[in-house]
Amino acid sequence: MDWLQTDDAIRTLKAVGLVMFFTIFSGVLLWVLLRKRSEIRRWSELPLDDDPPSRDSE
Amino acid sequence: MHDSTTASEATTAPHGSGPAPTDGPLESFSYDDAIVRKFVTATLVWGVVGFLVGIVLALELPFPWLNGGIEWITFGRLRPLHTNAVIFAFAGNAIFAAIYYSTQRLCKARMWSDTLSNLHFWGWQLIIVSAALTLPFGITQSKEYAELEWPIDIAIAVVWAGFFGVNFFMTLIVRRERHLYVAIWFYIATIVTVAVLHIFNNLWVPLVAMGTPGTALAWFKSYPIYAGAQDAMMQWWYGHNAVAFFLTTPFLGLMYYFLPKAAGRPIFSYRLSILHFWSLVFIYIWAGPHHLHYTATAEWLQTLGMVFSIMLWMPSWGGMINGLLTLRGVWHKVPGDPVLKFFVVGITFYGMSTFEGPMLSVKSVNALSHYTDWTIGHVHAGALGWNGFMAFGMIYWLAPRLYQTKLHSIAQANLHFWLATAGILVYAISMYVAGLTQGLMWLGINDAGQLAYPDFVQTTQAIIPMYWIRVVGGLLYLGGTLIGCWNIYCTWKARPAKYEVPVYQAPALKDVPFTPEQPPESDLVAVLEVGKKIDTWSTLWWHRVWERLPIKFTIMTTLAVVIASLMELVPAFVVRSNIPTIDTVKPYTPLELAGRDIYVSEGCYNCHSQMIRPLVAETVRYGDYSLAGESIYDHPFQWGSRRIGPDLAREGGVRGNDWHVRHFLEPQVMTQGSIMPPYPWLMKKKIDFESVPLRIAAQQALGVPYPQYEGDDRSQAAEDAKTQAKGIYREYMQITGKPFRDADGEEIDLSDKQVVALIAYLQRLGVDRYAAPDAEAPVPDGEPAAQSDEVVAGAPDEQGAT
């Protein structure tokens, strides 16, 4: 990996890393904020919707 | 396969799972709770074992004689058993119970294969038993939380990926609920990342690959392919992410499933949980180098680890707040419900640990905290406060459902809660005080520029009271756990003769009408076609497609983890300036290598570091700070992470061989106040000379230059080891004027005993850097010369020692 031995290569790697991770973060944030409220509500209720009435829950 | 029920279980009439629009017939299925019951039992049993061993260890520090001269239970050999038992046996079985219970319900599907579930359960218990049977015998790789030797490593890979992973992912594929709830995401990240971490940190060359070892112990022995600074980076990339992906992500999955269940309301913000997930997966993987602050690793790597650790604070607290706010409107239930109490304190400890972690990662704080008991306080707040409380909260919630009867005693559960809470507080606070005391005393410099506490043992003695308080804290926590075990046992005793197995109905996923995502039309006008495409793309419609696809989701998670790891590790490994070599640093002699393996096997690294940081107080106490080039032949690295005793990086030549012999026999006689246990067996057990050529061969396979032992000359290594051992014992007799006698007065020839090999290794530590360069190999210009500018010639300073 001789190409990695130069300062330029390291600088490029750092910039690529920063841009890549910032982009993905922003993408996830955007995606989350764009979900419909009803959709989010249904997903968040999934754990409450999976069991029969249990003996001690009354 | 996935619709079967066990013979001892009776089935009951179907429960509907709500009307669902369907094109096809409803499928009937039941959940496998028998496997969850097994994992709950194992969690409790191993919890008691792990905590009990912890208390023995806590007592062995103020009472070094407590092992009774039994080598198998010395601190150095027992400590890895404690950490492995708590992490992989207690917390491990708890997350498996959580995953098996919640995944089936969130997917509306039984686990894909009952056989794989059981293979996973029994395989995992077998691995734990193997750990308990190998670590006390000194069979260890010495890499923290990855101590288990190569045959067990292979078993872990098979059980984790082959049994658990396949079963889990196949369950996702046959699921009947389209959306994967966020808990499942955390489980996916756990399974994928732990597999990657385990495999890449456990690449080794076993001795058995080089020939037939003569002894059983040598069969298990292996050397990691990495050495020195690179091994350290791999190890802490693994070590930190074992915390992240074994003790954090699965417990967050547990939290996101069981907390809403216990509170009876959905998670406060599902959006926040998604952000929590992706931020953790993306950030955690970078933070490993914060375990190596001020060590001989590249500066950029340490800074990277620090910055990402601080960034971690935000998502971690986002998760904590999300958990606590879920209880809005139901806080009045908390005082009367032990489950919610355990969860509230557990999540609070998550918040405290994830604040403390980033704080300890700040280099200036770490200069004080590293190697001290502060770290021990931190990890116990995490493991007992966060993991332990979440596990117990889950078990109390599960018990009535799994054993189909009322919980035996709410009062006992409350008592467990209060004992555990008091225990962890007493434990953590005493360790914080001990850690700060150690750190400040080690770094203390008086007005004359001298160490304020020149004898290391002064700092040891100062914290003994804290060790006592720690024992009290541990006993409280263990006491609570025992009450919890009794409570669950009594609940189990009151179970019905036959468990009821409800049958559920839901349509197969393929029969549920589903309109595939279509790209929306762009409403832009008067732009190029490519502009419209970008507009369509930016609505992220494509994300809705893959979010339902577990395989693609898993690939995304894997990519997040692997790309980050590669970006951190590849430059660390291949950029040559990260590890400048030193010409005078040579491989160990065969005897020194055998001695090093004894050092590893006895677990000396659990109490002694071999890494002097570039801090004034450290260089005054121990000598010149360590350079990366000094450990390039160290497979594995032995930098350590804790100083119960002093650093040994420059131990070579400081003391005579006779001092070391007497010290191993009676540490307290040589250093008053030392808490090192005696090692009388080192004077009785023979050096395994037969395996020495194999050890050399394995090192050669890893690129360590031993030109004199190539090919047929390999057996010469054993002869050279014997010659060097005789020389060391001869020197011992010259100094003492008599042969060695044991406590009974019986004369013992030490020249083939383990103590001689270990002394050979200790006398080599840190001396190569000051050795005269070879006449035939002059120091070339360039990097090594730059290196030698930093070196201050002369023997390292004398130091106080235990």
Side-chain angles (χ1 to χ4, degrees):
Chain A
M1 294 236 213
D2 278 347
W3 60 270
L4 204 52
Q5 304 298 327
T6 61
D7 287 350
D8 273 351
I10 295 289
R11 254 196 302 277
T12 311
L13 195 70
K14 279 194 278 195
V16 168
L18 180 67
V19 168
M20 191 161 70
F21 282 84
F22 183 76
T23 311
I24 291 169
F25 261 120
S26 317
V28 172
L29 186 67
L30 207 65
W31 174 77
V32 162
L33 295 176
L34 289 176
R35 293 313 81 212
K36 273 192 267 168
R37 192 176 286 272
S38 59
E39 208 170 20
I40 291 277
R41 192 175 309 121
R42 198 187 87 73
W43 293 344
S44 68
E45 280 166 2
L46 280 176
L48 302 173
D49 173 37
D50 61 6
D51 244 3
S54 88
R55 280 162 194 240
D56 72 335
S57 63
E58 57 270 6
Chain B
M1 185 184 290
H2 46 275
D3 284 340
S4 64
T5 51
T6 56
S8 66
E9 295 171 330
T11 54
T12 57
H15 292 253
S17 61
T22 171
D23 291 344
L26 289 177
E27 293 180 341
S28 294
F29 55 94
S30 59
Y31 299 136
D32 179 9
D33 283 345
I35 191 70
V36 185
R37 284 189 283 269
K38 283 184 187 141
F39 278 118
V40 165
T41 308
T43 305
L44 293 172
V45 169
W46 293 122
V48 170
V49 172
F51 304 156
L52 195 62
V53 176
I55 286 170
V56 171
L57 290 167
L59 283 167
E60 280 187 348
L61 289 182
F63 283 142
W65 45 263
L66 196 69
N67 67 3
I70 302 168
E71 56 182 295
W72 307 303
I73 55 167
T74 44
F75 186 91
R77 295 204 197 175
L78 215 50
R79 191 205 176 216
L81 186 61
H82 166 62
T83 52
N84 278 276
V86 172
I87 297 172
F88 298 111
F90 168 65
N93 279 301
I95 63 178
F96 297 143
I99 291 173
Y100 276 81
Y101 186 88
S102 59
T103 302
Q104 298 187 76
R105 283 156 173 88
L106 288 171
C107 290
K108 293 194 170 66
R110 191 184 180 88
M111 290 308 292
W112 182 63
S113 158
D114 286 4
T115 311
L116 282 181
S117 300
N118 281 295
L119 279 172
H120 172 204
F121 175 79
W122 289 110
W124 197 255
Q125 310 317 314
L126 194 67
I127 287 164
I128 297 165
V129 171
S130 314
L133 289 178
T134 53
L135 292 170
F137 291 104
I139 297 168
T140 172
Q141 294 192 64
S142 84
K143 295 173 74 154
E144 285 183 66
Y145 328 129
E147 288 92 347
L148 302 177
E149 266 292 2
W150 65 273
I152 309 176
D153 284 343
I154 294 172
I156 293 172
V158 170
V159 170
W160 184 272
F163 301 160
F164 176 39
V166 168
N167 200 13
F168 176 84
F169 284 109
M170 286 310 293
T171 309
L172 297 194
I173 286 172
V174 301
R175 75 193 192 281
R176 298 183 181 88
E177 162 60 50
R178 186 159 273 131
H179 183 75
L180 292 172
Y181 182 68
V182 70
I184 303 275
W185 303 15
F186 280 102
Y187 301 154
I188 291 174
T190 301
I191 294 173
V192 167
T193 316
V194 168
V196 172
L197 294 167
H198 173 73
I199 291 169
F200 285 95
N201 190 42
N202 284 299
L203 296 175
W204 21 243
V205 173
L207 289 199
V208 70
M210 300 293 135
T212 310
T215 63
L217 289 187
W219 273 93
F220 285 97
K221 179 70 189 165
S222 69
Y223 296 119
I225 62 167
Y226 319 103
Q230 293 178 340
D231 194 33
M233 284 184 289
M234 282 309 286
Q235 159 58 24
W236 287 115
W237 167 77
Y238 163 86
H240 180 75
N241 288 304
V243 176
F245 289 91
F246 204 92
L247 298 177
T248 307
T249 53
F251 280 90
L252 288 170
L254 185 163
M255 177 184 90
Y256 279 120
Y257 180 80
F258 287 94
L259 182 67
K261 300 287 275 189
R265 50 180 48 231
I267 196 76
F268 169 67
S269 164
Y270 195 75
R271 286 193 167 97
L272 185 54
S273 70
I274 295 171
L275 276 186
H276 186 197
F277 172 79
W278 283 111
S279 332
L280 279 193
V281 169
F282 270 94
I283 300 177
Y284 238 127
I285 201 83
W286 296 82
H290 69 219
H291 291 259
L292 297 166
H293 281 337
Y294 294 111
T295 63
T297 47
E299 176 103 34
W300 65 266
L301 204 68
Q302 299 176 24
T303 308
L304 188 74
M306 177 176 90
V307 170
F308 272 84
S309 303
I310 295 168
M311 283 160 63
L312 262 179
W313 182 21
M314 287 300 122
S316 301
W317 272 38
M320 172 194 68
I321 290 166
N322 208 2
L324 291 179
L325 285 182
T326 299
L327 296 171
R328 78 208 180 284
V330 290
W331 278 99
H332 62 282
K333 280 196 198 168
V334 175
D337 183 352
V339 173
L340 286 179
K341 276 198 274 201
F342 270 104
F343 282 162
V344 166
V345 172
I347 295 165
T348 308
F349 266 100
Y350 175 61
M352 290 200 285
S353 307
T354 54
F355 169 73
E356 191 183 24
M359 181 177 72
L360 291 172
S361 303
V362 174
K363 283 182 81 176
S364 48
V365 179
N366 198 267
L368 177 69
S369 73
H370 194 47
Y371 298 127
T372 73
D373 285 340
W374 190 348
T375 312
I376 311 303
H378 171 62
V379 299
H380 282 82
L384 299 182
W386 156 238
N387 302 132
F389 274 64
M390 295 308 286
F392 288 125
M394 173 191 75
I395 289 172
Y396 282 120
W397 185 87
L398 280 175
R401 289 158 179 87
L402 290 178
Y403 306 117
Q404 297 177 4
T405 181
K406 277 190 179 312
L407 182 68
H408 169 65
S409 164
I410 300 275
Q412 283 180 17
N414 279 323
L415 182 61
H416 176 188
F417 168 80
W418 285 110
L419 284 176
T421 306
I424 182 61
L425 287 176
V426 168
Y427 188 111
I429 292 168
S430 62
M431 285 301 96
Y432 294 154
V433 175
L436 283 166
T437 307
Q438 280 176 310
L440 292 170
M441 287 178 84
W442 291 343
L443 297 180
I445 301 266
N446 62 23
D447 291 342
Q450 301 295 314
L451 288 174
Y453 305 96
D455 283 342
F456 186 91
V457 75
Q458 291 174 287
T459 69
T460 310
Q461 285 299 306
I463 58 170
I464 297 279
M466 293 302 127
Y467 284 160
W468 284 113
I469 297 172
R470 184 242 298 260
V471 171
V472 173
L475 283 173
L476 287 171
Y477 199 91
L478 176 65
T481 305
L482 289 173
I483 290 169
C485 290
W486 173 254
N487 202 355
I488 299 297
Y489 169 74
C490 292
T491 309
W492 171 77
K493 286 264 282 187
R495 72 196 182 282
K498 274 188 174 178
Y499 287 120
E500 193 181 299
V501 181
V503 175
Y504 301 87
Q505 289 190 324
L509 211 50
K510 63 177 166 45
D511 293 330
V512 179
F514 171 62
T515 320
E517 290 292 340
Q518 297 294 335
E521 284 290 320
S522 171
D523 50 7
L524 294 179
V525 287
V527 294
L528 291 176
E529 201 53 35
V530 68
K532 288 185 181 174
K533 278 187 179 160
I534 292 171
D535 183 45
T536 305
W537 183 86
S538 67
T539 62
L540 295 175
W541 67 275
W542 43 271
H543 191 285
R544 288 191 286 278
V545 178
W546 66 255
E547 83 198 50
R548 298 194 180 94
L549 305 170
I551 295 170
K552 287 196 182 167
F553 183 88
T554 305
I555 292 171
M556 278 297 289
T557 311
T558 314
L559 276 180
V561 168
V562 170
I563 291 175
S565 302
L566 287 177
M567 291 195 79
E568 177 175 281
L569 290 171
V570 167
F573 271 65
V574 305
V575 175
R576 282 184 284 275
S577 61
N578 283 331
I579 302 180
T581 50
I582 303 169
D583 270 13
T584 54
V585 172
K586 296 281 191 285
Y588 298 103
T589 67
L591 184 70
E592 289 159 3
L593 184 62
R596 186 171 205 277
D597 291 345
I598 294 166
Y599 183 97
V600 164
S601 167
E602 294 294 346
C604 304
Y605 65 90
N606 284 296
C607 298
H608 296 281
S609 57
Q610 288 186 28
M611 174 50 59
I612 303 168
R613 296 174 296 171
L615 308 175
V616 173
E618 290 215 356
T619 52
V620 173
R621 188 182 295 279
Y622 300 116
D624 295 323
Y625 62 84
S626 304
L627 299 176
E630 291 184 271
S631 45
I632 55 169
Y633 299 125
D634 286 4
H635 297 268
F637 79 115
Q638 289 293 298
W639 294 358
S641 63
R642 194 178 175 195
R643 285 181 185 151
I644 295 175
D647 188 276
L648 299 178
R650 307 242 171 267
E651 186 60 26
V654 174
R655 300 174 182 82
N657 297 341
D658 59 316
W659 187 95
H660 282 294
V661 172
R662 291 187 61 192
H663 183 247
F664 280 124
L665 209 55
E666 299 175 299
Q668 283 74 32
V669 171
M670 304 310 285
T671 310
Q672 213 177 2
S674 161
I675 57 169
M676 177 161 148
Y679 284 80
W681 56 90
L682 292 177
M683 290 72 180
K684 295 180 190 136
K685 291 172 76 177
K686 290 193 169 174
I687 300 168
D688 177 14
F689 285 117
E690 200 185 332
S691 71
V692 166
L694 292 185
R695 289 170 202 267
I696 294 288
Q699 295 276 327
Q700 284 173 323
L702 295 170
V704 179
Y706 283 109
Q708 69 276 38
Y709 302 127
E710 291 288 355
D712 292 344
D713 294 332
R714 193 201 274 177
S715 58
Q716 184 59 33
E719 297 311 313
D720 288 353
K722 286 176 188 167
T723 310
Q724 191 185 358
K726 285 197 177 94
I728 289 174
Y729 184 50
R730 200 180 311 119
E731 196 187 305
Y732 168 88
M733 287 195 292
Q734 278 168 0
I735 299 170
T736 60
K738 55 189 178 194
F740 176 79
R741 288 179 191 280
D742 66 9
D744 303 328
E746 197 181 328
E747 190 178 316
I748 296 179
D749 178 7
L750 291 185
S751 63
D752 60 350
K753 301 298 185 294
Q754 292 193 347
V755 69
V756 167
L758 188 50
I759 290 173
Y761 170 62
L762 290 175
Q763 297 289 26
R764 180 70 185 275
L765 289 178
V767 299
D768 278 20
R769 183 165 151 195
Y770 309 103
D774 287 348
E776 66 271 24
V779 180
D781 293 331
E783 286 164 8
Q787 200 51 246
S788 63
D789 289 345
E790 299 177 26
V791 175
V792 181
D797 295 349
E798 283 282 328
Q799 59 201 260
T802 51

